[in-house]
Amino acid sequence: MDIKVDDLTGSKVAELVGEHLQGMTMHSPPESIHALNLDALRKPEITFWSAWEEDDLVGCGALKELDAEHGEIKSMRTSSLHLRKGVAKRLLQHIIEEAKRRGYRRLSLETGSMEAFEPAKRLYASFGFQYCKPFSDYIEDPNSVFMTKEL
C-alpha cells in the first residue's frame, strides 16, 4: 500500500471524500456532523493522505494541527470496495507516526456514537486511544464520542 500526501484534486479522492460525507449524513444528525469537505481539508493546518494499491484508491485520512503539541485525526475512510483489508490500520499507523515525528504529545479524534461507528472505535481503542471529554472547539453531544492518545 502506498500512502502519500494528496492535494485533493483527483476525481477518485473527491469521490471518496464524498462517500465519507454521505456516510456521515446517513448515520448522524446534521448538527453532529464534523466531517470536512474538500475545501475545508485544503486548509494549511491539515495534511491529507490518500492510500493506494496500484491505481485503486483504498482509503484516506488527515491530520489537523490543533497546536504545537496536539493533533486531531480527520477524514479517516476506507473505500467501501476495500473494507476489512487493513487499510484503516495502516493509515492510522501512518498518522500516529507523523504526529510523533512532528513532536505532538497528544492525538485526539471525534467520531459518532452510533452502532455504525463501532468498528472505528474498536480500531482506535486497539491503538491505545481512550475515551475523553470534548477537546478543541467540540462540545458535549450524545451523537459524538471523543478519544485521545498520549504520544
Side-chain angles (χ1 to χ4, degrees):
M1 183 182 312
D2 182 27
I3 299 173
K4 59 186 177 182
V5 173
D6 197 294
D7 65 6
L8 296 138
T9 59
S11 62
K12 290 181 180 182
V13 169
E15 287 174 22
L16 185 57
V17 171
E19 179 183 323
H20 181 61
L21 293 170
Q22 182 180 13
M24 298 304 103
T25 302
M26 285 176 32
H27 300 289
S28 302
E31 68 275 10
S32 298
I33 297 173
H34 303 288
L36 303 176
N37 64 24
L38 288 171
D39 287 336
L41 287 167
R42 289 186 181 110
K43 296 201 174 183
E45 66 271 18
I46 297 175
T47 304
F48 182 90
W49 291 274
S50 56
W52 300 82
E53 287 182 353
E54 297 181 17
D55 291 334
D56 289 336
L57 177 61
V58 298
C60 64
L63 178 58
K64 178 179 181 180
E65 183 169 299
L66 299 175
D67 63 43
E69 295 185 343
H70 192 185
E72 179 183 3
I73 296 171
K74 299 294 292 182
S75 301
M76 282 281 294
R77 184 67 176 204
T78 300
S79 165
S80 58
L81 301 174
H82 296 278
L83 295 174
R84 293 170 198 54
K85 296 181 181 177
V87 174
K89 182 178 179 181
R90 290 281 308 279
L91 277 163
L92 185 55
Q93 287 171 327
H94 184 85
I95 291 170
I96 291 169
E97 288 169 13
E98 176 62 17
K100 288 178 179 177
R101 190 193 66 74
R102 292 181 183 186
Y104 294 168
R105 297 178 56 126
R106 177 178 298 280
L107 192 55
S108 302
L109 62 98
E110 178 276 339
T111 192
S113 62
M114 295 65 110
E115 181 66 29
F117 298 96
E118 284 304 315
K121 291 185 279 188
R122 282 194 303 271
L123 173 69
Y124 295 127
S126 76
F127 274 80
F129 284 83
Q130 298 179 343
Y131 292 98
C132 64
K133 295 286 185 192
F135 59 92
S136 187
D137 296 330
Y138 292 106
I139 58 171
E140 286 286 351
D141 179 349
N143 299 300
S144 290
V145 295
F146 305 93
M147 300 180 82
T148 195
K149 175 181 174 70
E150 299 265 350
L151 301 177

